[in-house]
Every structure is written in C-alpha cells, then in structure tokens.
Amino acid sequence: EISSAVNGKVNSITIQGYNGLDENLEPKDVLDGNNSGSTLTHSSSVPVTIKNLKITGGSGKPNGTNTLGGGIYIDSGKTLSLGDGVLVTGNTAAEGGGIYNAGKLYLYGSAMVGKKTDTVATSISYGNKATESGAGIYSDSTGSLYLGYKSEEEESELTGGVCGNYNENAINSSAKGGGIY
C-alpha cells in the first residue's frame, strides 16, 4: 500500500521494475498479491508512476459484500500513471478486476490492462476478471480515466491498452464492462 504516511515527505513516487522486459516485451519484475486483497492500493495524495512491472494475483479490496480493484485500487482523489512496460493481468474482483479507479488514472506507452490476444476472453483464458462490472478497469463516478496521456495537459502515445479481460456475468443484465466501465 502507498499510504498517506508519505504525504508531505515527497513530491512524487516512481515504482519501476529493475530487470526491464523479457523477449516478449513483458516485465520481468512482478508485484504479486497472492490472492490476499488488492495487489497495490494507492491512498496517498502523492502522484505515483509505475513502469516495467507486472501487477498480478490480486483478489480485490473488501467493500461490504463486494471486492474492488483486484490488481490496483486507486482511492478517491489520488493520481496514478501506468507507463511503458506495465502489465496488469491475472487479477479478479467484483468491480474492477484489473483496476478500480476513484481518482485519476493515466495510461500511456506500452501499458496493458489485460492481455493481447487474437481470441475472445473466456472463463478460463483472460487477462483480468470481474464478477460484476469493469473486468479491465472500473472508473467510478469520482474517477477520471485518461488513455494516451501522461497528465491532463500532456498527450502520449498509447501502444498498449485494455483488452482480453473477462466479465463473468456479462450475459446477465446487471453486469457491465468487459474492458472498461
């Protein structure tokens, strides 16, 4: 967790994998939640940037009877940027299998939420999974999502994106957003 304990102590935080990318252009370094809640929770007012890191194994932050943000949970009003070499995959939650965003989320460069595939995501082959809404990203009513931006003012090419995610109950009427909700 990136908590409010860092508020006022630093201007920004960058979390970057040390070993770079493998031959398939996937990050060699892994942050694994071991299915014990959200892999990464951001609740600090300090802006955070992540590069060259795989975020996996998250099962979501408990919220009543639901879980939110399997891979990443961004608290209200907080800012997180996912840049080159980031892969958010292998996470599950009720809302926001990959990411639950109540703050500001910037996705740019080769950042990927899910997995690139030539086939449709299924219950056994997917990037991230949700049982309710937003299998890839759930951006709630207080959240802002910027695809192809490093900041509100700075556009940046997005060669990654959001794909290959699976919404378990998308066939039912209440579930929404296999990719983004």
Side-chain angles (χ1 to χ4, degrees), residues 112-128:
M112 172 64 69
V113 179
K115 67 178 183 176
K116 287 187 179 180
T117 179
D118 292 335
T119 61
V120 174
T122 68
S123 61
I124 56 172
S125 177
Y126 55 84
N128 299 291

Side-chain angles (χ1 to χ4, degrees), residues 1-178:
E1 178 177 358
I2 303 167
S3 72
S4 61
V6 299
N7 293 352
K9 296 179 182 173
V10 295
N11 292 329
S12 65
I13 294 173
T14 298
I15 301 170
Q16 183 167 327
Y18 179 76
N19 294 301
L21 305 177
D22 65 16
E23 63 279 353
N24 297 318
L25 301 178
E26 291 192 8
K28 292 181 180 179
D29 297 302
V30 177
L31 187 60
D32 192 332
N34 293 313
N35 295 313
S36 61
S38 294
T39 301
L40 177 67
T41 299
H42 178 30
S43 55
S44 163
S45 61
V46 176
V48 174
T49 300
I50 300 174
K51 298 177 181 179
N52 294 338
L53 189 64
K54 180 178 180 179
I55 299 171
T56 192
S59 58
K61 178 179 178 177
N63 182 30
T65 59
N66 281 333
T67 54
L68 307 176
I72 300 172
Y73 179 89
I74 306 166
D75 215 346
S76 181
K78 311 315 178 209
T79 301
L80 182 74
S81 299
L82 301 179
D84 284 326
V86 172
L87 177 60
V88 180
T89 192
N91 303 288
T92 61
E95 295 182 349
I99 301 170
Y100 183 91
N101 175 38
K104 286 185 182 178
L105 173 60
Y106 298 96
L107 201 69
Y108 65 92
S110 63
M112 172 64 69
V113 179
K115 67 178 183 176
K116 287 187 179 180
T117 179
D118 292 335
T119 61
V120 174
T122 68
S123 61
I124 56 172
S125 177
Y126 55 84
N128 299 291
K129 180 171 80 172
T131 57
E132 290 297 324
S133 298
I137 300 172
Y138 183 102
S139 195
D140 79 7
S141 61
T142 64
S144 299
L145 175 59
Y146 298 86
L147 301 175
Y149 282 84
K150 287 185 176 183
S151 70
E152 286 182 41
E153 299 82 28
E154 186 180 354
E155 286 185 52
S156 181
E157 183 178 30
L158 177 61
T159 59
V162 180
C163 63
N165 299 291
Y166 181 73
N167 189 326
E168 188 172 80
N169 293 309
I171 296 169
N172 299 331
S173 61
S174 64
K176 297 175 179 76

